[in-house]
């Protein structure tokens, strides 16, 4: 920017202001030309036409939106809070588990769970656990009941599937009735009779409701394997009887030391 000075080196204010404005307009024009030239180089190097470039940008934005949706699938608007439980893993180490749950099936599934909540916060392994449960079973269910369970752990922005190890993880079960620890010849232990809940197969059609039910079953919460490291986990399970789906539910859990 050049300014013509007078004899005494004084510059009129209007001349100085006009010079500054001209300089700003020149800089804005240069910036616009640079952006235009950059877009032209990108289009020439990456794409044959503006349409191809638009499609490429749309694909990138759609991929980012999908990743964000998958990353936030445990959000409170979808998942219902389950509770906070302090458990002991197989190595004897205390672990904190915060979990929430959601249905991944349809309204046509015979197994419907509308409420599941444990308290207090946190639930201690040596104390009682209070359960609020509201569920409905639309059909009579008996063995064999097969199930597919998928467990994923979040690593940054990516979810990695946890393999099936010693019957835990992403596993297929031919008959979950065989996993029930209560022998058929023995009566169901407390508190199952007290709340009219079955403890083994078969399961009779009807409503199963527990309001502020207090449970105290030694060792029932000591189920976390020692190899399961702390982190965020997504667990989904689907049950089948005679090839027909009974229900699908997912759990989002955060395990910390």
């Amino acid at each position: 920017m050049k300014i013509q000075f007078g004899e005494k080196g004084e510059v009129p204010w209007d001349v100085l202001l006009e010079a500054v404005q001209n300089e700003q307009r020149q800089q804005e024009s240069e910036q616009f030309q640079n952006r235009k030239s950059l877009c032209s180089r990108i289009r020439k190097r990456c794409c044959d036409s503006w349409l191809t470039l638009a499609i490429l940008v749309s694909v990138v934005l759609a991929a980012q939106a999908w990743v964000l949706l998958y990353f936030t699938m445990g959000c409170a608007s979808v998942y219902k809070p389950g509770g906070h439980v302090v458990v002991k893993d197989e190595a004897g180490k205390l672990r904190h588990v915060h979990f929430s749950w959601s249905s991944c099936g349809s309204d046509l599934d015979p197994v419907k769970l509308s409420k599941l909540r444990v308290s207090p916060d946190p639930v201690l392994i040596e104390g009682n656990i209070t359960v609020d449960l509201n569920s409905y079973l639309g059909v009579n269910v008996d063995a064999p009941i097969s199930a597919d369970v998928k467990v994923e752990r979040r690593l940054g922005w990516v979810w990695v599937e946890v393999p099936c190890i010693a019957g835990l993880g992403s596993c297929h079960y031919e008959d979950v009735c065989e996993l029930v620890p209560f022998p058929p010849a023995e009566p169901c232990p407390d508190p199952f009779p007290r709340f009219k809940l079955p403890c083994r197969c078969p399961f009779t059609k009807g409503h199963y409701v527990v309001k502020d039910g207090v449970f105290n079953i030694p060792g029932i919460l000591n189920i976390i394997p020692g190899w399961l490291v702390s982190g965020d986990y997504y667990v989904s399970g689907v049950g089948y009887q005679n090839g027909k789906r009974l229900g699908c539910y997912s759990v989002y859990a955060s395990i910390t030391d």
Side-chain angles (χ1 to χ4, degrees):
M1 180 175 64
K2 297 181 179 180
I3 302 176
Q4 184 66 37
F5 289 87
E7 296 179 357
K8 298 182 179 181
E10 297 179 353
V11 181
W13 174 253
D14 56 345
V15 175
L16 180 61
L17 181 61
E18 182 180 359
V20 172
Q21 291 175 347
N22 290 336
E23 181 72 14
Q24 291 178 345
R25 283 194 291 269
Q26 183 178 356
Q27 291 178 354
E28 292 175 355
S29 177
E30 292 177 354
Q31 292 176 355
F32 174 77
Q33 293 297 331
N34 290 336
R35 289 195 297 267
K36 185 176 180 181
S37 176
L38 178 61
C39 292
S40 299
R41 290 197 300 269
I42 293 176
R43 182 176 64 87
K44 184 178 297 184
R45 292 184 180 183
C46 301
C47 312
D48 296 332
S49 65
W50 284 108
L51 178 60
T52 307
L53 178 60
I55 295 175
L56 178 61
V57 172
S58 300
V59 171
V60 173
L61 293 177
Q64 292 178 342
W66 181 87
V67 171
L68 181 61
L69 178 63
Y70 194 56
F71 179 74
T72 58
M73 62 183 172
C75 63
S77 60
V78 177
Y79 283 74
K80 301 178 182 179
H84 173 199
V85 182
V86 179
V87 301
K88 184 182 296 183
D89 61 20
E90 293 177 346
K93 187 177 181 179
L94 292 179
R95 314 288 286 277
H96 293 259
V97 181
H98 296 82
F99 73 96
S100 54
W101 62 274
S102 177
S103 171
C104 50
S106 70
D107 294 336
L108 299 179
D109 293 338
V111 177
K112 295 179 175 60
L113 181 63
S114 58
K115 185 177 184 180
L116 174 61
R117 179 82 179 184
V118 298
S119 58
D121 187 3
V123 176
L124 303 178
I125 58 173
E126 300 298 337
N128 294 330
I129 177 174
T130 301
V131 177
D132 284 332
L133 171 70
N134 192 336
S135 62
Y136 176 74
L137 182 59
V139 295
N140 294 325
V141 178
D142 200 355
I145 302 174
S146 62
D148 291 316
V149 177
K150 185 177 182 180
V151 181
E152 295 176 287
R153 180 173 181 259
R154 188 170 66 187
L155 296 177
W157 287 79
V158 181
W159 290 87
V160 179
E161 184 172 333
V162 178
C164 184
I165 301 176
L168 294 176
S170 301
C171 304
H172 171 76
Y173 303 95
E174 291 294 336
D175 187 8
V176 295
C177 295
E178 297 179 354
L179 304 178
V180 176
F182 308 116
E186 299 180 4
C188 292
D190 186 76
F192 291 99
R194 182 158 36 103
F195 297 107
K196 299 180 180 180
L197 298 177
C199 67
R200 66 177 73 90
C201 298
F203 301 99
T204 307
K205 173 182 177 180
H207 280 95
Y208 294 94
V209 179
V210 176
K211 178 64 176 177
D212 296 329
V214 179
F215 291 75
N216 188 358
I217 303 178
I220 192 173
L221 295 178
N222 302 343
I223 57 177
I224 295 183
W227 51 261
L228 196 62
V229 298
S230 299
D232 295 330
Y233 292 86
Y234 173 76
V235 183
S236 62
V238 186
Y240 299 91
Q241 180 177 246
N242 299 325
K244 296 182 179 180
R245 188 174 69 182
L246 296 174
C248 175
Y249 287 89
S250 58
V251 174
Y252 183 88
S254 179
I255 301 179
T256 57
D257 295 335

